[in-house]
Amino acid sequence: MSDISDNNQNKDPLTSCGWVHSVESFGTVDGPGCRMVVFMQGCPMRCAYCHNPDSWEFNTGTRVSVADLLTQFERNRPFYKSGGLTVSGGEPLMQAGFVADLFEKAHQARAGKIHTCLDSSGFSFNPHNTHHYQQISRLLDNCDMVLLDIKHSDQASHMDLCGQPIDDPLAFGDELAQRKIPVVIRHVVVPGITDTDEELAGVGRIIAQWDNVVGLDILPYHTMGKSKYEQLGLLYKLEGVPAMDPNHVPGIRQKILRERARVRAVRAAH
Protein backbone atom coordinates (compact mmCIF):
# COMPACT_ATOMS: atom_id res chain seq x y z
CA MET A 1 0.00 0.00 0.00
CA SER A 2 1.42 3.37 -0.97
CA ASP A 3 2.11 6.45 1.10
CA ILE A 4 -0.92 8.77 0.78
CA SER A 5 1.10 11.90 1.55
CA ASP A 6 2.27 14.02 -1.36
CA ASN A 7 5.81 14.74 -0.25
CA ASN A 8 8.31 15.96 -2.81
CA GLN A 9 11.78 14.76 -1.89
CA ASN A 10 13.35 17.80 -3.57
CA LYS A 11 11.64 20.36 -1.34
CA ASP A 12 12.50 21.56 2.15
CA PRO A 13 11.14 18.98 4.63
CA LEU A 14 9.93 21.87 6.81
CA THR A 15 7.32 22.70 4.17
CA SER A 16 6.13 19.10 3.95
CA CYS A 17 2.43 18.82 4.88
CA GLY A 18 0.30 16.00 6.22
CA TRP A 19 -3.31 15.37 7.19
CA VAL A 20 -3.61 15.69 10.96
CA HIS A 21 -6.61 14.65 13.07
CA SER A 22 -5.59 16.46 16.26
CA VAL A 23 -2.67 17.45 18.48
CA GLU A 24 -2.37 16.82 22.21
CA SER A 25 -0.01 19.31 23.83
CA PHE A 26 0.73 17.44 27.04
CA GLY A 27 0.41 13.69 26.57
CA THR A 28 1.65 11.38 29.32
CA VAL A 29 0.71 7.90 28.06
CA ASP A 30 2.21 7.82 24.55
CA GLY A 31 5.89 7.38 25.24
CA PRO A 32 8.28 8.37 28.02
CA GLY A 33 7.77 11.65 29.88
CA CYS A 34 5.51 14.51 28.89
CA ARG A 35 5.06 14.66 25.12
CA MET A 36 3.42 16.48 22.26
CA VAL A 37 1.30 13.87 20.49
CA VAL A 38 0.32 14.30 16.84
CA PHE A 39 -2.61 12.12 15.76
CA MET A 40 -2.52 11.57 12.00
CA GLN A 41 -5.72 11.34 9.97
CA GLY A 42 -6.56 8.22 7.99
CA CYS A 43 -6.50 4.51 8.86
CA PRO A 44 -7.22 1.36 6.78
CA MET A 45 -7.82 -0.72 9.93
CA ARG A 46 -11.33 -1.12 11.30
CA CYS A 47 -10.62 -2.29 14.82
CA ALA A 48 -13.88 -3.11 16.55
CA TYR A 49 -12.74 -1.37 19.74
CA CYS A 50 -11.39 1.79 18.07
CA HIS A 51 -12.49 4.86 20.04
CA ASN A 52 -11.58 7.31 17.25
CA PRO A 53 -13.58 6.23 14.17
CA ASP A 54 -13.51 9.88 13.11
CA SER A 55 -9.80 9.35 12.34
CA TRP A 56 -10.44 6.65 9.70
CA GLU A 57 -11.20 8.74 6.61
CA PHE A 58 -8.27 9.72 4.39
CA ASN A 59 -7.46 13.15 2.93
CA THR A 60 -9.46 15.07 5.51
CA GLY A 61 -8.75 16.63 8.89
CA THR A 62 -6.33 19.58 9.02
CA ARG A 63 -3.46 20.12 6.62
CA VAL A 64 -0.41 20.89 8.78
CA SER A 65 3.26 21.46 7.94
CA VAL A 66 6.35 20.10 9.66
CA ALA A 67 7.36 23.69 10.47
CA ASP A 68 4.01 24.38 12.17
CA LEU A 69 4.29 21.30 14.39
CA LEU A 70 7.88 22.01 15.40
CA THR A 71 6.99 25.63 16.17
CA GLN A 72 4.26 24.36 18.48
CA PHE A 73 6.72 21.96 20.10
CA GLU A 74 9.34 24.65 20.67
CA ARG A 75 6.73 26.88 22.28
CA ASN A 76 6.36 24.29 25.05
CA ARG A 77 9.83 22.72 24.95
CA PRO A 78 10.55 23.28 28.70
CA PHE A 79 7.66 20.92 29.53
CA TYR A 80 9.08 18.18 27.28
CA LYS A 81 12.52 17.99 28.91
CA SER A 82 12.10 14.30 29.81
CA GLY A 83 9.71 13.56 26.95
CA GLY A 84 9.51 14.50 23.31
CA LEU A 85 7.33 14.10 20.22
CA THR A 86 5.03 11.16 19.46
CA VAL A 87 3.17 10.57 16.20
CA SER A 88 0.10 8.36 16.46
CA GLY A 89 -3.08 7.90 14.43
CA GLY A 90 -5.09 6.96 12.57
CA GLU A 91 -2.19 5.02 11.11
CA PRO A 92 0.93 7.19 10.71
CA LEU A 93 2.64 4.76 8.31
CA MET A 94 0.03 5.75 5.73
CA GLN A 95 1.74 9.16 5.67
CA ALA A 96 5.26 7.83 6.17
CA GLY A 97 6.93 10.49 4.03
CA PHE A 98 5.50 13.30 6.11
CA VAL A 99 6.33 11.60 9.42
CA ALA A 100 9.86 10.93 8.12
CA ASP A 101 10.26 14.65 7.37
CA LEU A 102 8.93 15.55 10.81
CA PHE A 103 11.20 13.13 12.66
CA GLU A 104 14.21 14.12 10.59
CA LYS A 105 13.79 17.81 11.40
CA ALA A 106 13.00 16.98 15.05
CA HIS A 107 16.39 15.28 15.34
CA GLN A 108 18.01 18.32 13.74
CA ALA A 109 16.25 20.92 15.90
CA ARG A 110 18.46 23.92 16.71
CA ALA A 111 17.55 23.91 20.39
CA GLY A 112 18.57 20.27 20.67
CA LYS A 113 17.53 16.86 19.38
CA ILE A 114 13.87 15.97 20.07
CA HIS A 115 13.13 12.41 21.20
CA THR A 116 10.82 10.86 18.59
CA CYS A 117 8.31 8.07 19.11
CA LEU A 118 5.99 6.31 16.65
CA ASP A 119 2.70 4.72 17.76
CA SER A 120 1.62 2.31 15.01
CA SER A 121 -0.16 -0.92 14.20
CA GLY A 122 2.55 -1.62 11.61
CA PHE A 123 -0.09 -1.89 8.91
CA SER A 124 0.95 -1.01 5.33
CA PHE A 125 4.59 -1.97 5.96
CA ASN A 126 5.79 -3.71 2.83
CA PRO A 127 9.54 -3.98 2.11
CA HIS A 128 8.71 -4.98 -1.47
CA ASN A 129 7.10 -1.60 -2.23
CA THR A 130 10.33 0.27 -2.95
CA HIS A 131 9.11 3.87 -2.64
CA HIS A 132 7.04 3.28 0.49
CA TYR A 133 9.84 1.26 2.11
CA GLN A 134 12.29 4.10 1.44
CA GLN A 135 9.96 6.52 3.23
CA ILE A 136 9.50 4.17 6.20
CA SER A 137 13.23 3.49 6.30
CA ARG A 138 13.95 7.21 6.50
CA LEU A 139 11.30 7.52 9.23
CA LEU A 140 12.90 4.72 11.26
CA ASP A 141 16.38 6.20 10.77
CA ASN A 142 15.11 9.14 12.84
CA CYS A 143 12.90 7.23 15.29
CA ASP A 144 13.97 6.67 18.90
CA MET A 145 11.12 4.42 20.05
CA VAL A 146 8.08 2.60 18.67
CA LEU A 147 4.82 1.77 20.42
CA LEU A 148 3.68 -1.27 18.43
CA ASP A 149 0.08 -2.43 18.69
CA ILE A 150 -0.50 -6.18 18.60
CA LYS A 151 -4.23 -6.41 17.91
CA HIS A 152 -4.62 -10.19 17.92
CA SER A 153 -2.14 -13.04 17.62
CA ASP A 154 -4.31 -15.26 15.39
CA GLN A 155 -4.64 -14.52 11.66
CA ALA A 156 -8.36 -15.28 11.31
CA SER A 157 -9.26 -13.51 14.55
CA HIS A 158 -7.13 -10.52 13.52
CA MET A 159 -9.22 -10.24 10.34
CA ASP A 160 -12.45 -10.47 12.31
CA LEU A 161 -11.33 -7.87 14.85
CA CYS A 162 -9.58 -5.38 12.56
CA GLY A 163 -10.67 -6.09 9.00
CA GLN A 164 -7.03 -6.56 7.93
CA PRO A 165 -4.48 -9.43 8.01
CA ILE A 166 -1.71 -9.67 10.59
CA ASP A 167 1.15 -10.04 8.08
CA ASP A 168 2.20 -6.38 7.81
CA PRO A 169 2.32 -5.77 11.59
CA LEU A 170 4.48 -8.88 12.09
CA ALA A 171 6.81 -7.88 9.25
CA PHE A 172 7.10 -4.41 10.75
CA GLY A 173 7.96 -5.93 14.12
CA ASP A 174 10.71 -7.95 12.45
CA GLU A 175 12.06 -4.79 10.82
CA LEU A 176 12.17 -2.97 14.15
CA ALA A 177 13.96 -5.91 15.76
CA GLN A 178 16.52 -5.99 12.98
CA ARG A 179 17.17 -2.26 13.48
CA LYS A 180 17.28 -2.69 17.27
CA ILE A 181 14.81 0.16 17.81
CA PRO A 182 13.35 0.01 21.34
CA VAL A 183 9.74 -1.19 21.19
CA VAL A 184 6.92 -1.07 23.70
CA ILE A 185 4.19 -3.58 22.83
CA ARG A 186 0.59 -2.50 23.29
CA HIS A 187 -2.31 -4.93 23.55
CA VAL A 188 -5.94 -3.91 24.07
CA VAL A 189 -7.73 -6.48 26.20
CA VAL A 190 -11.37 -7.02 25.25
CA PRO A 191 -13.38 -9.44 27.43
CA GLY A 192 -13.85 -12.75 25.64
CA ILE A 193 -11.88 -11.66 22.56
CA THR A 194 -8.30 -10.68 23.37
CA ASP A 195 -8.04 -11.77 27.00
CA THR A 196 -8.27 -15.56 26.63
CA ASP A 197 -5.35 -17.69 27.80
CA GLU A 198 -4.76 -18.88 24.23
CA GLU A 199 -4.65 -15.33 22.90
CA LEU A 200 -2.36 -14.02 25.64
CA ALA A 201 0.03 -16.92 25.09
CA GLY A 202 -0.04 -16.14 21.37
CA VAL A 203 0.98 -12.55 22.03
CA GLY A 204 3.76 -13.82 24.28
CA ARG A 205 5.06 -16.11 21.53
CA ILE A 206 5.07 -13.28 19.00
CA ILE A 207 7.02 -10.82 21.10
CA ALA A 208 9.43 -13.53 22.27
CA GLN A 209 11.00 -13.37 18.79
CA TRP A 210 11.98 -9.70 19.19
CA ASP A 211 15.00 -8.88 21.38
CA ASN A 212 14.28 -5.14 21.24
CA VAL A 213 11.03 -5.26 23.25
CA VAL A 214 11.54 -3.03 26.30
CA GLY A 215 8.00 -2.77 27.62
CA LEU A 216 4.45 -4.15 27.55
CA ASP A 217 1.36 -1.98 27.96
CA ILE A 218 -1.96 -3.70 28.61
CA LEU A 219 -4.81 -1.36 27.68
CA PRO A 220 -8.24 -2.24 29.12
CA TYR A 221 -11.08 -2.03 26.61
CA HIS A 222 -13.56 0.77 27.37
CA THR A 223 -16.80 1.97 25.77
CA MET A 224 -16.13 5.72 25.83
CA GLY A 225 -15.94 5.92 22.03
CA LYS A 226 -19.35 4.35 21.45
CA SER A 227 -21.12 7.72 21.13
CA LYS A 228 -18.88 8.64 18.18
CA TYR A 229 -20.17 5.65 16.22
CA GLU A 230 -23.72 6.80 16.83
CA GLN A 231 -22.87 10.33 15.71
CA LEU A 232 -21.20 9.03 12.55
CA GLY A 233 -23.97 6.53 11.79
CA LEU A 234 -21.58 3.59 12.14
CA LEU A 235 -22.29 0.14 13.52
CA TYR A 236 -20.64 -0.46 16.90
CA LYS A 237 -19.47 -4.06 16.57
CA LEU A 238 -18.87 -4.65 20.28
CA GLU A 239 -22.37 -3.74 21.41
CA GLY A 240 -23.02 -5.46 24.73
CA VAL A 241 -19.36 -6.26 25.45
CA PRO A 242 -18.53 -4.90 28.92
CA ALA A 243 -15.52 -2.73 29.63
CA MET A 244 -12.48 -4.59 30.92
CA ASP A 245 -11.96 -4.38 34.67
CA PRO A 246 -8.54 -2.66 35.12
CA ASN A 247 -7.92 -4.87 38.15
CA HIS A 248 -7.37 -7.77 35.75
CA VAL A 249 -4.51 -6.02 33.94
CA PRO A 250 -1.59 -7.22 36.13
CA GLY A 251 -2.61 -10.87 35.78
CA ILE A 252 -3.09 -10.52 32.01
CA ARG A 253 0.30 -8.91 31.65
CA GLN A 254 1.96 -11.70 33.62
CA LYS A 255 0.40 -14.38 31.39
CA ILE A 256 1.91 -12.76 28.30
CA LEU A 257 5.31 -12.26 29.90
CA ARG A 258 5.34 -15.80 31.29
CA GLU A 259 4.86 -17.30 27.81
CA ARG A 260 7.43 -14.90 26.36
CA ALA A 261 9.97 -16.00 28.97
CA ARG A 262 9.21 -19.67 28.33
CA VAL A 263 9.72 -19.37 24.57
CA ARG A 264 12.91 -17.36 24.99
CA ALA A 265 14.27 -19.91 27.46
CA VAL A 266 13.64 -22.73 24.97
CA ARG A 267 15.28 -20.72 22.22
CA ALA A 268 18.33 -19.99 24.40
CA ALA A 269 18.67 -23.69 25.28
CA HIS A 270 19.00 -24.57 21.61
Side-chain angles (χ1 to χ4, degrees):
M1 189 171 292
S2 300
D3 190 333
I4 65 168
S5 53
D6 60 353
N7 294 279
N8 183 334
Q9 292 184 349
N10 296 320
K11 70 182 180 182
D12 183 352
L14 285 172
T15 66
S16 176
C17 291
W19 292 105
V20 172
H21 173 270
S22 57
V23 177
E24 183 178 357
S25 298
F26 302 106
T28 59
V29 296
D30 296 297
C34 184
R35 311 183 69 83
M36 185 173 108
V37 186
V38 180
F39 295 92
M40 304 304 296
Q41 179 71 35
C43 183
M45 304 278 270
R46 291 296 179 266
C47 302
Y49 53 69
C50 179
H51 60 274
N52 284 320
D54 48 327
S55 70
W56 290 349
E57 188 176 353
F58 289 104
N59 300 317
T60 185
T62 304
R63 198 77 168 146
V64 180
S65 72
V66 167
D68 290 337
L69 291 174
L70 291 181
T71 295
Q72 183 174 340
F73 182 93
E74 295 297 348
R75 193 180 301 132
N76 297 307
R77 182 184 270 264
F79 296 98
Y80 304 135
K81 184 176 294 185
S82 62
L85 172 68
T86 296
V87 176
S88 185
E91 176 45 64
L93 291 189
M94 297 304 296
Q95 301 187 65
F98 170 75
V99 180
D101 289 339
L102 177 60
F103 279 6
E104 182 179 273
K105 300 309 289 187
H107 272 192
Q108 298 170 0
R110 289 184 180 180
K113 178 181 174 181
I114 299 170
H115 182 278
T116 56
C117 181
L118 176 76
D119 180 8
S120 172
S121 70
F123 186 78
S124 88
F125 177 76
N126 182 356
H128 305 295
N129 182 327
T130 303
H131 174 70
H132 191 46
Y133 179 75
Q134 288 174 344
Q135 299 284 40
I136 291 180
S137 182
R138 190 162 58 90
L139 185 165
L140 295 179
D141 285 343
N142 295 281
C143 183
D144 297 308
M145 176 173 282
V146 174
L147 311 179
L148 180 61
D149 301 320
I150 299 297
K151 310 291 187 179
H152 205 293
S153 65
D154 176 73
Q155 177 71 273
S157 297
H158 194 282
M159 283 293 299
D160 289 342
L161 184 65
C162 307
Q164 298 289 355
I166 197 175
D167 307 78
D168 289 354
L170 294 183
F172 189 58
D174 291 341
E175 177 78 11
L176 298 175
Q178 182 178 343
R179 289 173 174 264
K180 298 181 172 60
I181 296 175
V183 165
V184 175
I185 298 296
R186 289 184 154 185
H187 184 60
V188 177
V189 284
V190 183
I193 299 176
T194 61
D195 68 335
T196 66
D197 288 348
E198 181 181 359
E199 163 60 7
L200 300 178
V203 173
R205 287 191 291 272
I206 288 173
I207 67 176
Q209 309 305 315
W210 301 329
D211 295 334
N212 57 325
V213 173
V214 297
L216 172 63
D217 287 344
I218 300 301
L219 309 177
Y221 163 71
H222 59 75
T223 60
M224 290 185 287
K226 183 179 176 182
S227 60
K228 291 185 180 181
Y229 287 79
E230 296 171 352
Q231 294 167 7
L232 295 170
L234 298 173
L235 174 67
Y236 190 68
K237 297 180 180 178
L238 297 183
E239 183 69 48
V241 176
M244 170 62 70
D245 183 348
N247 291 322
H248 294 163
V249 166
I252 288 171
R253 188 172 187 276
Q254 283 306 309
K255 288 180 180 180
I256 294 175
L257 293 178
R258 191 158 49 241
E259 180 65 8
R260 177 177 186 259
R262 186 194 68 79
V263 173
R264 290 176 67 82
V266 170
R267 188 176 70 176
H270 292 81

